[in-house]
Amino acid sequence: MNTDIHQQLEFCSAHQKPREAIRDYILKYPAVFPNLVQMAFEIDYKFHFKVCWIVELVADKRLDWLQPHLDFFAIISKC
């Protein structure tokens, strides 16, 4: 995943503007989204909860981007 995203996540707070800035970056570069979805479930990644915030905000704008990942969600939910 892009180092820039890791840095953005490190400094991201629960405030709306930083989360929306990362969401906008993901919307501009959709190729990053599949990695983001996987990172959301990597509980050893110290910012996985922040990734969940961003996935939610992206899904609010582009729910169709989650469709290719439905199998992944189904597999994870059975673990």
Side-chain angles (χ1 to χ4, degrees), residues 20-52:
E20 288 178 346
I22 299 173
R23 177 208 57 202
D24 292 344
Y25 177 87
I26 302 301
L27 290 172
K28 188 175 180 179
Y29 301 101
V32 177
F33 188 69
N35 292 335
L36 204 69
V37 171
Q38 290 186 354
M39 288 174 62
F41 292 97
E42 293 176 9
I43 59 171
D44 292 334
Y45 178 57
K46 63 182 177 178
F47 301 125
H48 75 278
F49 63 96
K50 293 181 180 185
V51 176
C52 290

Side-chain angles (χ1 to χ4, degrees), residues 33-77:
F33 188 69
N35 292 335
L36 204 69
V37 171
Q38 290 186 354
M39 288 174 62
F41 292 97
E42 293 176 9
I43 59 171
D44 292 334
Y45 178 57
K46 63 182 177 178
F47 301 125
H48 75 278
F49 63 96
K50 293 181 180 185
V51 176
C52 290
W53 297 342
I54 307 307
V55 169
E56 177 185 12
L57 290 175
V58 171
D60 189 45
K61 298 285 184 184
R62 294 299 310 260
L63 187 60
D64 59 307
W65 286 8
L66 284 178
Q67 185 177 7
H69 307 284
L70 292 178
D71 289 341
F72 178 72
F73 281 101
I75 291 168
I76 292 296
S77 68

